[in-house]
Amino acid sequence: MTEPSSLPRGTSAHMPDLNWSQVRETVLMLELAAMQIESAMKDSNSSVEVLTNSFTTMAGYMQTISDTIQTLPDDGAVGQAKQNLGGVSEHVSSMVHQAIIAFQFYDKLVQRLAHVGLSLGELSDLVADTGRLFNPTEWVGLQGRIKAKYSTREEIAMFDAVMQGMPVQQAIEQFMADMKEKSDDIELF
């Protein structure tokens, strides 16, 4: 984000003076929100990386176990153990697969939050620049750049609905319903 020289940094809302500006306060809050999103994503990424590596390793071990089980004889007590271990192995492999799918959803969430953070940054830049703030063309350009970051038809539909006048809360509820319907169509096995 660029920092225009016309606006001093920091809040003075608690002790307003002649230099107090609602624009400066807005920019400060937008920048803070964007940085909180970025910080939360960085914090969670290392934990998810550990989990992803653990599940990837577990998947490899499960394949080794399954391969070893297949070499056991089919009859007698060993045959019964082979059947039991095979069933458990398949169940654990299925759970690992479900966890990997959940991590894919997490990755998509991180991408969406990154887009929100970038959009907040661009909004902050626009609001901070008095030369751009009152220019409708700048706002249309910002809206176009934000819309271009969306990767699903549900996100685009939400954005378009808000731009056409639907209340934000209603658009979010519709988006969440669409996403739930979409996730209900995904079979986790």
Side-chain angles (χ1 to χ4, degrees):
M1 283 184 275
T2 59
E3 195 174 305
S5 58
S6 62
L7 292 177
R9 305 298 302 157
T11 184
S12 61
H14 298 284
M15 296 177 58
D17 57 18
L18 294 177
N19 291 323
W20 183 82
S21 165
Q22 74 275 16
V23 171
R24 182 176 58 249
E25 298 296 327
T26 301
V27 168
L28 186 62
M29 294 296 102
L30 288 171
E31 288 176 347
L32 178 60
M35 291 300 105
Q36 286 174 316
I37 290 170
E38 185 178 326
S39 175
M41 290 186 328
K42 284 180 182 176
D43 285 348
S44 64
N45 278 343
S46 61
S47 295
V48 169
E49 188 175 321
V50 168
L51 288 170
T52 301
N53 290 338
S54 295
F55 277 99
T56 301
T57 301
M58 286 174 22
Y61 288 150
M62 288 309 304
Q63 185 61 51
T64 300
I65 290 169
S66 293
D67 292 346
T68 303
I69 290 171
Q70 293 306 312
T71 66
L72 298 174
D74 291 330
D75 50 343
V78 173
Q80 183 61 42
K82 177 181 179 178
Q83 267 187 323
N84 291 342
L85 289 173
V88 170
S89 174
E90 285 179 30
H91 182 70
V92 172
S93 291
S94 174
M95 292 171 66
V96 167
H97 182 70
Q98 289 176 3
I100 290 169
I101 290 172
F103 289 129
Q104 291 170 341
F105 280 106
Y106 171 80
D107 185 51
K108 188 173 183 177
L109 170 68
V110 167
Q111 290 175 18
R112 288 173 48 203
L113 286 174
H115 294 158
V116 170
L118 291 171
S119 296
L120 285 172
E122 285 192 57
L123 176 59
S124 176
D125 289 345
L126 181 89
V127 170
D129 186 341
T130 55
R132 297 172 54 211
L133 178 62
F134 299 104
N135 183 339
T137 304
E138 292 287 343
W139 287 91
V140 170
L142 173 66
Q143 292 164 0
R145 290 187 301 278
I146 289 172
K147 184 176 178 178
K149 290 180 177 110
Y150 293 137
S151 59
T152 67
R153 72 176 170 77
E154 293 84 6
E155 290 172 313
I156 293 168
M158 175 187 60
F159 180 87
D160 287 340
V162 170
M163 292 298 104
Q164 294 169 7
M166 180 183 283
V168 173
Q169 185 61 39
Q170 184 180 346
I172 293 288
E173 288 169 2
Q174 181 61 48
F175 170 76
M176 296 302 290
D178 291 346
M179 293 306 289
K180 180 176 177 0
E181 182 179 307
K182 187 176 181 178
S183 69
D184 287 346
D185 291 342
I186 297 172
E187 184 178 329
L188 300 178
F189 53 94

